Amino acid sequence: MTTVHELPTTTDALSVWPASTTEPRAGDLAVGGVPLAEVADRFGTPVYVLDEAEVRDRCRTYRHAFPDAEVLYAAKAFLCRAMARWMEEEGLGLDVCSAGELELAVTTGFPPERIVLHGNAKTPRDLEAALRLGVGRVVIDSPSEIARLAAAVGPDGRQKVMVRVVPGISAGGHDKIRTGTEDQKFGLSIRDGYALHALTRILDQPNLELTGLHCHLGSQITTVKPYLTAVRRMVGLMTRLYEQHGVVLPELDLGGGHGIAYRPGEEALDLTSLARKVRAELAGACASAGLPVPRLIIEPGRAIAGPAGIALYRVLSVKHTGEHVFVAVDGGMSDNPRPALYGVRYAPRLIGRHSAADPVRTTVVGRHCEAGDVLAADAELPADLRPGDLLGVPVAGAYHLSMASGYNLVGRPPVVAVRDGRARLLVRRESLEDIRRRDVGL
């Protein structure tokens, strides 16, 4: 067993928790005025807790930093009806990737004209739903999609489109989430000429209205420089389109990927610096090219939802194996596959009781039949941790429920919103009855 000499101070340890987090009693945290131990007792575990005020504050931060830009929330990070409503009320648009995300948002009352549909392989159902519901823009990702979409629109229709471009930039926290390079599945290459060729083809389709270019460099980007490089390359492509066809594009979408801290002390993207430098770079590049400055579009997802969420688990067992301490909880990779996929590291914390025991380096593992079912490696937790204890994992609001699976048929956890001392259920727990109803083959 490896002993850690001291835990971070309370202030440092809570730096990645929602701003509303308080410690009314030693070891007993509350978020949004609601004790987390009470949430666990009332709704069971595992459970996702979402701080509504934190979500809304982060939306307002983006709108303040980018007052002249269109801010689209990337729904793939986490979407439910309440989240769609919050985005509408805070003045954000939506970026969706499927008919399911699109229809959930629209049937909640979200204005379809403020929605952009993405996807490298849109199905006929995706495109049919987009046209039927009146989606604002469709981002074209491949040459074959141009003809498919034009045919679906029909001679009497009209659909606004953008083209996803590969700017040839490597950025992001892991190889599997770097999407701005030539060796991945998204978009059309500037370097190889495919992007310009697609733009030319779209101009020949009278029922498709080309409004701009789109790129997305990757996820968990914590420096501004890759975005500035992207601006220059995207404006370069806009310039070639203008020189060859006399077309001025009014929009430029730089995607999202804004990095956040998952553990105290980790680096996060400086949003104020990003906004200031991107605006200056865009203005300078357009001035040099003799083009008007297009309207900027950005697509934050994780940076809005991630820090607003907490995952709560009950400890099921504590096992000492050689020098290793394994703490098994009642969730795992079925409710958070990110550590297994990308090696993401979290900082779990004991909730609901104060411990004076020395902290030890601990591996928090899930209940699933995989050696890779690890929720937090090298976590610093009290040496007296025992079954029945409650663990809270901060920064759990993005890519947890949206990527949750049915592995081992344990059922996906519920989502509970907290605000002003009140907790309310947003998404109920997936039950065994839900699972049985889908199984119709007997």
Side-chain angles (χ1 to χ4, degrees):
M1 181 185 301
T2 303
T3 301
V4 180
H5 295 296
E6 61 178 343
L7 283 170
T9 65
T10 299
T11 301
D12 291 339
L14 295 181
S15 64
V16 293
W17 287 71
S20 70
T21 304
T22 59
E23 191 170 7
R25 292 177 298 278
D28 193 8
L29 296 189
V31 174
V34 181
L36 293 179
E38 289 185 11
V39 174
D41 289 341
R42 178 180 168 189
F43 297 97
T45 56
V47 58
Y48 304 116
V49 182
L50 195 62
D51 185 342
E52 179 182 345
E54 181 82 13
V55 170
R56 291 181 181 273
D57 286 346
R58 288 178 171 271
C59 291
R60 293 166 191 171
T61 298
Y62 267 96
R63 294 201 64 198
H64 177 75
F66 293 91
D68 300 321
E70 184 174 0
V71 183
L72 306 176
Y73 170 66
K76 62 181 180 176
F78 168 69
L79 185 66
C80 66
R81 292 190 300 165
M83 196 71 166
R85 180 66 53 82
W86 299 345
M87 295 303 108
E88 180 191 5
E89 292 174 351
E90 296 302 331
L92 273 63
L94 282 182
D95 152 30
V96 302
C97 298
S98 71
E101 291 178 351
L102 173 59
E103 297 210 26
L104 186 144
V106 173
T107 55
T108 301
F110 199 95
E113 65 273 12
R114 286 166 49 192
I115 299 178
V116 173
L117 174 67
H118 281 275
N120 71 295
K122 301 177 192 68
T123 67
R125 184 187 167 215
D126 293 335
L127 294 179
E128 183 277 328
L131 299 177
R132 171 172 48 84
L133 297 173
V135 73
R137 305 173 198 79
V138 175
V139 179
I140 288 177
D141 198 279
S142 65
S144 61
E145 208 167 81
I146 299 170
R148 288 174 54 213
L149 182 58
V153 171
D156 299 324
R158 191 153 178 86
Q159 175 61 54
K160 291 181 178 181
V161 300
M162 307 181 81
V163 171
R164 179 158 179 172
V165 172
V166 178
I169 297 168
S170 179
H174 191 280
D175 287 344
K176 292 182 180 179
I177 52 176
R178 292 175 184 163
T179 56
T181 58
E182 307 283 345
D183 58 351
Q184 46 73 45
K185 68 178 185 175
F186 295 101
L188 295 159
S189 171
I190 295 178
R191 185 185 67 186
D192 293 344
Y194 288 113
L196 184 58
H197 178 66
L199 293 168
T200 303
R201 285 185 57 190
I202 292 170
L203 294 177
D204 290 334
Q205 299 289 341
N207 54 359
L208 300 182
E209 179 184 348
L210 180 63
T211 67
L213 303 182
H214 176 283
C215 73
H216 182 73
L217 305 181
S219 296
Q220 276 300 90
I221 301 170
T222 56
T223 59
V224 173
K225 185 177 179 180
Y227 293 102
L228 306 184
T229 304
V231 166
R232 292 192 293 271
R233 294 184 183 179
M234 300 291 273
V235 172
L237 179 57
M238 286 181 159
T239 303
R240 288 194 289 277
L241 184 69
Y242 175 69
E243 291 171 345
Q244 295 185 21
H245 300 281
V247 173
V248 176
L249 296 180
E251 297 177 333
L252 175 60
D253 191 329
L254 290 182
H258 306 159
I260 60 175
Y262 279 88
R263 302 194 305 168
E266 289 184 348
E267 190 176 4
L269 183 64
D270 184 334
L271 188 58
T272 302
S273 176
L274 174 71
R276 175 173 50 84
K277 292 182 179 180
V278 163
R279 277 197 298 265
E281 190 71 34
L282 183 57
C286 288
S288 298
L291 293 175
V293 176
R295 187 183 191 198
L296 187 64
I297 302 171
I298 57 169
E299 301 172 350
R302 177 199 320 267
I304 288 176
I310 302 104
L312 298 178
Y313 302 96
R314 287 288 179 194
V315 174
L316 298 178
S317 69
V318 179
K319 185 186 299 184
H320 297 261
T321 304
E323 295 185 350
H324 299 284
V325 180
F326 293 99
V327 173
V329 298
D330 56 358
M333 64 192 304
S334 66
D335 59 76
N336 182 10
R338 300 184 65 253
L341 288 173
Y342 313 133
V344 179
R345 302 179 72 189
Y346 292 86
R349 180 185 176 96
L350 174 63
I351 303 292
R353 72 174 177 90
H354 173 68
S355 173
D358 289 336
V360 296
R361 205 167 295 280
T362 303
T363 301
V364 180
V365 299
R367 58 175 293 183
H368 298 288
C369 301
E370 301 283 344
D373 183 20
V374 175
L375 286 174
D378 296 328
E380 297 176 358
L381 291 168
D384 65 348
L385 209 63
R386 54 185 181 259
D389 277 339
L390 183 65
L391 293 184
V393 179
V395 202
Y399 301 106
H400 283 230
L401 182 59
S402 63
M403 297 180 75
S405 73
Y407 191 36
N408 292 154
L409 301 185
V410 299
R412 288 170 290 184
V415 180
V416 174
V418 293
R419 185 180 184 183
D420 298 331
R422 177 172 172 254
R424 71 186 195 279
L425 188 65
L426 300 185
V427 181
R428 67 171 174 80
R429 187 180 303 278
E430 186 177 34
S431 67
L432 180 57
E433 182 60 27
D434 293 326
I435 296 169
R436 280 199 297 260
R437 284 178 179 173
R438 294 186 64 238
D439 189 341
V440 298
L442 186 62

